[in-house]
Amino acid sequence: MPTLKPSQPPIPQVIPAGELRHLTPEEIKPSSNNPRHLFDADQLLELKKNIGEHGVLVPITVFQAKGQSKFSILDGERRYRCVVELTREGHKAKDGAELKLPANVVEPPTKIAGLLYMFSIHNFREAWELMPTALSLKIVMEELGERDNKALSKLTGLSDPQIERCKKLLAFPERFQQLSLDPNPTTRIPSNFWIEALPVIDLALETVPTIKKLGRDRATDKLVEKYRERKIKSVIHFRRIMESYDLSEDEPATRAKVVRRIEEFFLNPKMETRDAFDEFVVEKKRVQSALSACEGFISQLQRFKLKYTTDDEERKNLRKALREVREYCKSLEQALTGGDDPDVPHN
Amino acid sequence: MIHSIKFSLRFHDYKPQPLSLLSASRWIRQFEKKDRKIARQLLDKVIYISESRRRDILVEQNAALMKRLLAANVPPKKLIYVSVHDAGSSSPVMLNLLRDAAGLERLGCKFVDARDSLRLNKTMNEVGVGALIYVDDFIGTGNQFCAERDFAAKSFVGTFSEFLLAPSICEEAFYQISERGIEAFTGHVHSKAERPLHANSSFFAREDKERLELVCKGVNSKFGLGYQKLATMVVLYRNAPNTVPAVLRGSLNQKPFAGIFPRWKDLPVRKIG
């Protein structure tokens, strides 16, 4: 069994029950975390065609939960789906019998093994389903005593930024987390709301005495209320507040004005984000300059014709510099990702 | 008159509007004379689930399920009972009824509302391996149940088998429920053939069926045969499902057509003061 560190207990994995069976689709239960909408239709069609011609060649992996008559899929959801569709279309096996899937039966997975499997499914999911992922990650962190992003990334397959985002969600009290688990999409607070709001709340608590007095939870409530009142039309608009603050760094008068505006923004439920902060942001010009800087940087490097540099020391220094550029660009690129949830209605 | 006595005795404890001899005969009289016979035949086909019957079915099915789970080494303390709809709707009521009637709390079973994903996640994490048992009183199309369950499933953790306990389930719902690997324990599977006004039923002669369909449409132009034209005939003492034909429910506020099994929301609201 693989381990993360020598001191750590082995990561639980599925244990084969040593049985190969041939199961009809009716005897099989798809994964509870059914990611049906995430399978690429073209790939599925190709696989279906293949299975239609040759049958299922690679066995799927299933287990039987205690007391359940059906077998649950651990691996092979796509093959299962193809057979279900083929059966529905009246397709038969070569001998004219009902289509069956070869299945390796394993012991029911432990909680952690099941969770890690679920993560492999979640890797295909859109970011808007982040809250359930965060809850699962919390269990993994608690059960395995692991907090390091790299180790968690290796375990779950989630990327470093995804783990960071989950951790941000988990930093909020449960009553706020619950708001992102509301079954009704019209009243649900999107997970991205918390991620984008967190730096703003931190900033307000740090710089505005009245907000500090209000406390973190009540300040958060104010933003929730504002979001429900549609005064935060997109969660991305929280970035304008951070941007306004950052840009006023060298201008004390503007900085003081931004801080006052942040206070007003929190306390006045009617104040809309863009109305409040647009005046401090001259976004287009900066972004245009950044875009030209990117183009200029690449074309300049190309002009230097560095590919065949021979000097060892120079190559070493150049590679180090490029790595630093890459790291910065990567972190900037990741910071720019994020957006509104696709199923939450907005103005 | 004999029919009215029979119906009033049979359905006397329908909660939203208890049926009396007078209201039974009033309902019949709303139909044209030539239609009264088929209206009575339709009413005769109602599958009425009384309070005691509903409790007995639930307790019996639950006992059978618990026995099976115990044999599979799943003790009661590993069972999580889940209500699937809004507070005040049938599912939480059923869950409370079952909890008390079967003494589930004392056995160590857990109870969660499917909409409380956080609590469900925590409880599943605590139990680790066990069974989720959804409880409801009637499943029509299965759409609402499956939508609630699918949303909750995003927060599932651990290895759990899934079951549904309900006194009555329509055959339409079985496919959807089974597709998710949920096993239904029910006292009654409501087939299409049991529903005289369903497109697949041949209980009535064609002209009689068409006649009643027309009356239903007159009562409710959009949902004459009930939600998604299910035309179900199961009526629970606590409320009728929204899938029953409109002649049984009546018009909104019971005017112009008074139903025999109005839902709570079909009845006029009493004025305050």
Side-chain angles (χ1 to χ4, degrees):
Chain A
M1 282 188 196
T3 55
L4 289 172
K5 294 172 195 163
S7 58
Q8 255 188 347
I11 303 157
Q13 291 196 318
V14 290
I15 305 160
E19 197 184 352
L20 180 73
R21 294 180 64 158
H22 287 81
L23 303 171
T24 61
E26 287 78 37
E27 293 173 293
I28 297 168
K29 167 189 177 172
S31 162
S32 297
N33 308 88
N34 196 341
R36 71 174 64 203
H37 56 291
L38 301 171
F39 294 130
D40 187 305
D42 289 342
Q43 283 181 13
L44 210 62
L45 202 68
E46 187 65 30
L47 183 64
K48 190 173 136 186
K49 198 178 146 200
N50 211 304
I51 289 174
E53 281 171 23
H54 308 290
V56 178
L57 301 176
V58 182
I60 63 169
T61 308
V62 295
F63 70 92
Q64 199 166 20
K66 283 180 178 178
Q68 191 115 48
S69 52
K70 289 194 178 191
F71 291 86
S72 302
I73 298 178
L74 258 180
D75 183 40
E77 186 95 13
R78 289 179 350 129
R79 278 163 276 169
Y80 162 75
R81 275 177 201 288
C82 290
V83 173
V84 168
E85 276 188 28
L86 286 165
T87 306
R88 243 179 244 161
E89 289 163 11
H91 202 96
K92 298 275 181 195
K94 275 180 187 163
D95 58 1
E98 194 179 352
L99 277 178
K100 287 186 176 180
L101 291 107
N104 280 319
V105 182
V106 298
E107 292 292 337
T110 61
K111 190 165 66 188
I112 287 295
L115 266 180
L116 296 180
Y117 164 69
M118 192 200 69
F119 272 112
S120 69
I121 292 173
H122 270 219
N123 284 339
F124 297 101
R125 294 192 162 200
E126 297 96 333
W128 62 271
E129 294 198 30
L130 204 60
M131 191 56 92
T133 309
L135 293 180
S136 301
L137 184 70
K138 185 183 172 192
I139 294 168
V140 171
M141 291 194 291
E142 284 170 358
E143 294 277 327
L144 299 179
E146 186 56 74
R147 301 247 175 268
D148 178 63
N149 282 14
K150 282 205 166 56
L152 288 170
S153 175
K154 196 175 160 192
L155 273 170
T156 60
L158 294 173
S159 67
D160 198 27
Q162 275 176 310
I163 290 170
E164 211 38 62
R165 287 156 69 83
C166 287
K167 282 183 172 177
K168 279 183 183 171
L169 290 181
L170 295 172
F172 282 89
E174 283 182 0
R175 74 177 173 98
F176 293 124
Q177 293 173 13
Q178 186 75 66
L179 297 178
S180 290
L181 295 165
D182 184 345
N184 183 353
T186 58
T187 50
R188 188 187 307 149
I189 300 289
S191 302
N192 280 345
F193 173 88
W194 310 110
I195 291 162
E196 299 292 340
L198 188 63
V200 175
I201 296 166
D202 287 342
L203 177 68
L205 289 169
E206 197 186 305
T207 57
V208 187
T210 44
I211 305 298
K212 194 178 178 184
K213 204 171 159 193
L214 206 61
R216 181 174 285 273
D217 286 4
R218 287 190 62 199
T220 309
D221 279 327
K222 296 274 180 199
L223 294 185
V224 172
E225 188 188 342
K226 211 178 247 295
Y227 185 78
R228 293 215 191 280
E229 288 292 319
R230 307 262 168 130
K231 295 297 171 195
I232 298 166
K233 290 179 180 166
S234 163
V235 296
I236 290 298
H237 292 172
F238 278 125
R239 295 183 180 205
R240 287 180 179 260
I241 304 173
M242 300 309 293
E243 212 172 4
S244 304
Y245 188 78
D246 276 356
L247 291 174
S248 64
E249 196 179 3
D250 302 323
E251 298 165 46
T254 315
R255 172 62 63 93
K257 201 175 169 191
V258 169
V259 170
R260 277 201 304 279
R261 191 63 56 83
I262 292 173
E263 180 181 18
E264 203 184 341
F265 177 74
F266 268 84
L267 300 178
N268 178 1
K270 299 265 180 267
M271 185 180 266
E272 200 266 322
T273 333
R274 292 193 62 168
D275 291 346
F277 295 96
D278 268 6
E279 66 172 286
F280 303 109
V281 183
V282 199
E283 192 173 305
K284 272 194 177 147
K285 200 176 163 193
R286 282 186 307 111
V287 173
Q288 281 307 326
S289 307
L291 288 174
S292 338
C294 286
E295 280 168 23
F297 176 69
I298 293 169
S299 62
Q300 216 167 349
L301 284 183
Q302 282 167 343
R303 272 205 304 275
F304 291 143
K305 308 227 181 286
L306 298 161
K307 232 196 249 176
Y308 302 108
T309 306
T310 45
D311 185 278
D312 281 353
E313 192 60 23
E314 278 178 352
R315 278 196 297 133
K316 196 177 147 194
N317 289 340
L318 190 56
R319 288 184 69 198
K320 190 178 168 232
L322 286 172
R323 268 200 303 274
E324 280 170 18
V325 171
R326 188 178 61 195
E327 284 307 310
Y328 177 75
C329 290
K330 197 176 162 191
S331 70
L332 183 60
E333 194 266 329
Q334 281 165 358
L336 291 171
T337 56
D340 291 304
D341 292 2
D343 69 339
V344 176
H346 284 278
N347 288 3
Chain B
M1 182 59 118
I2 296 166
H3 292 288
S4 297
I5 295 170
K6 190 176 81 179
F7 293 138
S8 61
L9 286 174
R10 205 175 142 207
F11 308 128
H12 71 281
D13 64 344
Y14 181 63
K15 286 281 177 199
Q17 181 184 273
L19 194 67
S20 63
L21 179 62
L22 194 70
S23 51
S25 54
R26 197 188 299 143
W27 182 77
I28 294 282
R29 284 202 306 273
Q30 291 176 111
F31 293 86
E32 283 180 31
K33 269 192 178 161
K34 59 177 181 177
D35 294 333
R36 285 180 191 169
K37 188 182 165 197
I38 51 173
R40 277 195 295 267
Q41 283 175 337
L42 181 74
L43 198 53
D44 235 357
K45 295 300 283 182
V46 165
I47 298 157
Y48 188 71
I49 301 181
S50 67
E51 184 173 11
S52 58
R53 180 78 193 115
R54 189 175 74 158
R55 188 190 56 234
D56 291 348
I57 293 173
L58 262 191
V59 173
E60 276 167 26
Q61 295 296 326
N62 183 59
L65 174 58
M66 283 180 93
K67 196 175 164 189
R68 172 169 149 187
L69 288 169
L70 201 60
N73 209 12
V74 185
K77 65 178 182 182
K78 295 276 186 188
L79 307 185
I80 304 174
Y81 285 82
V82 186
S83 58
V84 278
H85 305 310
D86 291 329
S89 70
S90 54
S91 181
V93 173
M94 294 303 288
L95 185 50
N96 288 345
L97 184 144
L98 179 64
R99 183 193 60 195
D100 296 341
L104 298 179
E105 211 160 13
R106 279 185 296 145
L107 293 170
C109 303
K110 318 276 187 293
F111 307 90
V112 185
D113 175 2
R115 295 188 160 210
D116 191 348
S117 298
L118 207 56
R119 199 164 152 228
L120 182 61
N121 178 270
K122 277 185 175 179
T123 313
M124 290 178 89
N125 183 28
E126 198 182 298
V127 174
V129 176
L132 284 182
I133 303 167
Y134 308 100
V135 183
D136 207 344
D137 61 357
F138 178 77
I139 307 286
T141 57
N143 291 345
Q144 198 189 354
F145 168 77
C146 289
E148 298 257 358
R149 180 266 175 197
D150 288 351
F151 185 83
K154 290 173 188 168
S155 305
F156 281 4
V157 56
T159 308
F160 284 80
S161 40
E162 292 177 87
F163 302 92
L164 168 67
L165 274 179
S168 181
I169 299 177
C170 286
E171 69 169 84
E172 289 91 334
F174 252 90
Y175 172 73
Q176 280 205 73
I177 291 168
S178 163
E179 198 191 17
R180 285 158 177 79
I182 300 166
E183 285 182 51
F185 275 66
T186 182
H188 171 239
V189 178
H190 193 24
S191 69
K192 291 170 184 168
E194 279 179 314
R195 308 173 212 164
L197 295 185
H198 192 276
N200 293 14
S201 169
S202 52
F203 176 79
F204 281 126
R206 206 180 72 191
E207 56 274 23
D208 289 344
K209 196 173 173 179
E210 281 171 359
R211 185 72 203 138
L212 274 177
E213 278 174 4
L214 208 63
V215 180
C216 285
K217 210 173 171 186
V219 176
N220 187 328
S221 56
K222 199 174 170 193
F223 297 109
L225 294 181
Y227 179 67
Q228 295 214 344
K229 296 185 180 173
L230 256 59
T232 61
M233 295 303 286
V234 171
V235 174
L236 297 117
Y237 85 99
R238 192 174 166 270
N239 212 0
N242 64 357
T243 45
V244 298
V247 280
L248 299 180
R249 278 178 68 174
S251 317
L252 185 66
N253 293 327
Q254 301 299 287
K255 279 178 186 168
F257 194 92
I260 203 155
F261 299 115
R263 281 163 63 81
W264 286 105
K265 57 170 76 168
D266 298 330
L267 294 168
V269 182
R270 277 190 197 166
K271 280 184 184 163
I272 301 166

